[in-house]
Amino acid sequence: MSIKSILAPAIISAMALSPLAADHVPGELIVKLKKDVAAENFFGHSLTGASLDRRIELSSGDLYVVKFNESLVSIDTLAKQMNERAEVEYAEPNFIYEIVKPIVHTNVLDEILNYQDASDNGAYYTPADAKFGKLWGLRNTGSNGPRGVNAVEGADVDALKAWEITKGDRAIKIAVIDTGIDYNHPDLRDQMWVNEAEANGQPGVDDDGNGYVDDIHGYDFANNDGDPIDGHSHGTHCAGTIGASHNAIGVAGVMRDVQFVAVKFLTDSGSGSTEAAIKSIDYATKVGVDIMSNSWGGGGRSEALQEAIERANDAGIVFTAAAGNSSTDNDSRPHYPSNYNVDNVISVAATTAADELASFSCYGRSTVHIGAPGHEILSTVKNGGYASYSGTSMATPHVSGVIGLFLAENKDLTPLQIRNKVMVTSDPVAALRGKTINSGRINAYNLLTNTIPERNEPNPEDWQTVDAPLFESAHPYSENEVMETVYEVEGAKFIRLRIRKFDLENRYDYIEIRDAKGTLIEKVTGSGENYTSFFAEGGTLKLTFKSDRSVQKWGFVIDQVDVQY
């Protein structure tokens, strides 16, 4: 083994926010009572400084919203007092969720809108939509990626080959739970679910008796009415990626044939509450959708929201969820709803046309299931328009659409079986190693044909630990410090780092671990002992320690690596 000096980002350690510290509707708690507890008696005699405001009626058992004055009692205190009561199953804030905010690319919009696809696609079916050539997430030619990106041919969802098998099915219903959908958009209006009883019934009357008035294309839980029109654009953008019509205008979706149920719980400013989210999920479950596509997040961990997702799982509904756009590790800093450990939840990271993890994307070695195109994605927006956005919000509808294609051909699998197939049939991507559970980007053709790519990965039982030259900081280390070294083990097929101890300023001071090609393996920060990094192919690790000007902590000691030959 030799040491060399060399220049050499994932965050391994980050404290999760206290759930009660997360954004919430001021002065509101959601309360679930235990079975057989009479709400009238409990709320009539048991609240001090708070009062029952409303009931959330659910088929699984009602929830209750309690209002109080946070200037007189903190939400932490009241929630603790409520949770200590024997009659209470749980009490939690009415959290606020937001769209997973996209990056809007206005500087290249004119170029995109004027683009005409003139490429030769061989024998494959190709939509005639004018802007199809810019949809690199569906077909990446290596030359149609965003400006400044070294696009990689084939770094897409493999839509053209998949369309030779199926283009979807109108029987597949997908709920876009978001800011609504512009159901008048020329690329979306023919894809909308129509509740015929309401469409042909009397305005202002619940004609189908499902508890919702005038829900012709879905429902608006932000404003509590039957008109889920999108005044923001986020939900419309997501819908376009899933299933914009293949109609020779605008863009084309992953699915040619699909029905959208528009479920609006985020306002036109892009935010909504736990209460509205629960109602949205339960509505979509009642309507009988096949997939719920969720490009939103925030708040803290909510038992009430998890229970709603579990009810959807029990009904056999897949729940795709954006992993988040804060560039952080969801293993240590959870992002909801993508982090809920429910069998139907599929957490989605964003990849670029260069087959890299997008710089903004959250990730998680044990919590993020799949990567998908999410950088500079062209799709539909409100008022009949088109725009290019970036975010895990844009990656998630690619996954929803691909799973929609799969469900058009496969009717009887559970959400967990579908999730597992999505992962094992994914294309292995080096940049996703250590960032997602299976290190893969979704591939529609592989999923439809049950093609399982070979993965060049180590056997967990074959690791050998060997001593390495000492790489150690001062204790404490200095400000603005940069330390570099290279570990090389001749003949090794795989290598990973062992860190005996590290104590670094969380998120600001870190150790970068890269492979021989310079690909980032992971970025270690915070504190820990006897930590084992993710692996790299070959026998080379390039290490760089960097500190900033603020806090200087104890530092680190590294003197071993693990290898496989």
Side-chain angles (χ1 to χ4, degrees):
M1 182 179 298
S2 62
I3 297 179
K4 301 176 183 177
S5 296
I6 193 168
L7 273 176
I11 297 175
I12 294 305
S13 176
M15 293 298 293
L17 292 174
S18 163
L20 300 186
D23 287 345
H24 58 273
V25 178
E28 289 193 357
L29 280 179
I30 293 177
V31 179
K32 182 179 181 181
L33 299 179
K34 291 184 178 176
K35 189 177 180 181
D36 299 328
V37 174
E40 295 77 10
N41 292 336
F42 179 79
F43 291 112
H45 306 288
S46 303
L47 300 182
T48 302
S51 60
L52 176 62
D53 186 70
R54 59 192 181 274
R55 180 193 304 255
I56 305 174
E57 296 183 7
L58 303 171
S59 59
S60 60
D62 293 346
L63 301 174
Y64 302 90
V65 178
V66 170
K67 293 186 75 71
F68 63 99
N69 189 337
E70 283 198 58
S71 66
L72 300 177
V73 59
S74 72
I75 195 165
D76 306 66
T77 299
L78 187 59
K80 183 175 183 294
Q81 291 174 353
M82 294 285 285
N83 281 310
E84 288 174 348
R85 296 293 302 269
E87 304 96 326
V88 173
E89 186 75 28
Y90 56 75
E92 61 187 27
N94 191 6
F95 291 117
I96 293 174
Y97 301 92
E98 297 181 330
I99 59 170
V100 177
K101 291 186 174 65
I103 302 165
V104 181
H105 302 280
T106 56
N107 57 323
V108 296
L109 189 56
D110 291 340
E111 174 192 342
I112 290 172
L113 296 183
N114 293 327
Y115 183 87
Q116 296 292 321
D117 182 24
S119 58
D120 180 9
N121 301 310
Y124 291 122
Y125 161 82
T126 304
D129 302 74
K131 303 172 191 17
F132 179 76
K134 275 294 180 180
L135 304 183
W136 70 263
L138 303 187
R139 187 210 50 194
N140 188 339
T141 65
S143 60
N144 67 334
R147 183 184 301 162
V149 175
N150 294 320
V152 174
E153 184 177 0
D156 51 41
V157 303
D158 214 355
L160 268 63
K161 287 172 65 178
W163 288 335
E164 296 301 300
I165 301 170
T166 181
K167 300 174 182 66
D169 190 324
R170 287 284 296 174
I172 301 300
K173 294 202 292 286
I174 299 181
V176 178
I177 302 178
D178 210 285
T179 59
I181 297 177
D182 178 4
Y183 47 75
N184 296 314
H185 196 293
D187 249 336
L188 300 175
R189 60 190 173 206
D190 294 334
Q191 309 292 64
M192 299 304 302
W193 170 69
V194 178
N195 185 345
E196 296 292 348
E198 295 290 347
N200 298 315
Q202 297 296 315
V205 175
D206 181 12
D207 298 285
D208 60 356
N210 70 350
Y212 304 93
V213 175
D214 296 337
D215 57 325
I216 296 172
H217 297 306
Y219 203 79
D220 179 354
F221 292 94
N223 299 294
N224 295 311
D225 61 48
D227 185 12
I229 192 70
D230 186 2
H232 182 282
S233 280
H234 191 265
T236 300
H237 197 281
C238 294
T241 294
I242 296 170
S245 294
H246 296 197
N247 57 3
I249 58 174
V251 297
V254 177
M255 301 180 73
R256 184 191 67 181
D257 303 316
V258 66
Q259 289 186 80
F260 289 124
V261 180
V263 186
K264 177 173 181 171
F265 91 98
L266 301 170
T267 65
D268 290 345
S269 63
S271 65
S273 68
T274 302
E275 177 183 4
I278 292 167
K279 290 178 177 178
S280 296
I281 293 167
D282 273 28
Y283 173 80
T285 302
K286 182 181 290 188
V287 166
V289 302
D290 300 282
I291 301 169
M292 299 180 188
S293 192
N294 301 273
S295 291
W296 49 275
R301 187 183 185 282
S302 164
E303 290 291 338
L305 183 57
Q306 177 168 324
E307 288 175 357
I309 297 170
E310 288 171 344
R311 292 191 290 274
N313 181 59
D314 292 342
I317 302 168
V318 173
F319 189 95
T320 60
N325 290 352
S326 59
S327 308
T328 49
D329 185 350
N330 289 356
D331 289 1
S332 55
R333 189 177 182 181
H335 175 272
Y336 298 106
S338 64
N339 263 65
Y340 287 118
N341 186 22
V342 184
D343 288 347
N344 62 337
V345 174
I346 300 177
S347 177
V348 185
T351 59
T352 71
D355 231 8
E356 297 176 344
L357 180 72
S359 61
F360 53 78
S361 180
C362 290
Y363 52 90
R365 188 189 304 181
S366 61
T367 54
V368 177
H369 299 97
I370 196 71
H375 177 244
E376 293 203 31
I377 303 301
L378 178 63
S379 187
T380 48
V381 293
K382 67 179 183 179
N383 299 326
Y386 301 89
S388 181
Y389 292 177
S390 291
T392 55
S393 284
M394 287 60 254
T396 300
H398 278 98
V399 173
S400 301
V402 168
I403 295 174
L405 292 178
F406 180 76
L407 291 178
E409 296 288 303
N410 301 271
K411 307 293 185 184
D412 299 323
L413 276 70
T414 67
L416 179 59
Q417 289 171 323
I418 293 168
R419 186 173 77 185
N420 288 338
K421 282 187 174 292
V422 164
M423 288 192 291
V424 300
T425 61
S426 64
D427 283 329
V429 175
L432 294 179
R433 284 181 175 164
K435 308 301 184 189
T436 66
I437 295 171
N438 209 44
S439 309
R441 169 183 27 78
I442 196 166
N443 183 299
Y445 178 77
N446 288 353
L447 181 61
L448 286 165
T449 58
N450 199 34
T451 300
I452 301 176
E454 181 178 350
R455 284 177 148 76
N456 185 25
E457 296 183 348
N459 185 332
E461 298 179 355
D462 290 345
W463 289 107
Q464 302 176 37
T465 300
V466 298
D467 292 335
L470 181 67
F471 185 43
E472 180 178 16
S473 70
H475 308 297
Y477 51 81
S478 302
E479 65 179 37
N480 294 328
E481 189 163 358
V482 177
M483 298 176 62
E484 302 163 340
T485 195
V486 174
Y487 285 160
E488 292 181 334
V489 180
E490 186 175 354
K493 291 182 179 178
F494 303 102
I495 187 171
R496 66 186 187 187
L497 187 67
R498 298 182 69 89
I499 305 177
R500 192 199 319 164
K501 181 179 178 180
F502 64 101
D503 183 16
L504 312 173
E505 184 187 9
N506 192 40
R507 302 184 65 191
Y508 297 99
D509 303 335
Y510 51 85
I511 302 166
E512 285 184 344
I513 306 171
R514 297 179 180 269
D515 65 12
K517 297 178 180 179
T519 301
L520 182 69
I521 303 303
E522 66 183 59
K523 194 175 187 178
V524 179
T525 188
S527 60
E529 295 185 13
N530 301 316
Y531 179 76
T532 303
S533 77
F534 201 67
F535 71 88
E537 287 187 57
T540 301
L541 291 178
K542 302 177 180 181
L543 311 181
T544 303
F545 168 66
K546 296 180 181 180
S547 66
D548 67 2
R549 296 181 57 188
S550 54
V551 178
Q552 289 81 53
K553 305 195 78 171
W554 182 83
F556 66 91
V557 176
I558 301 170
D559 56 11
Q560 289 183 324
V561 295
D562 289 342
V563 295
Q564 290 189 22
Y565 295 98

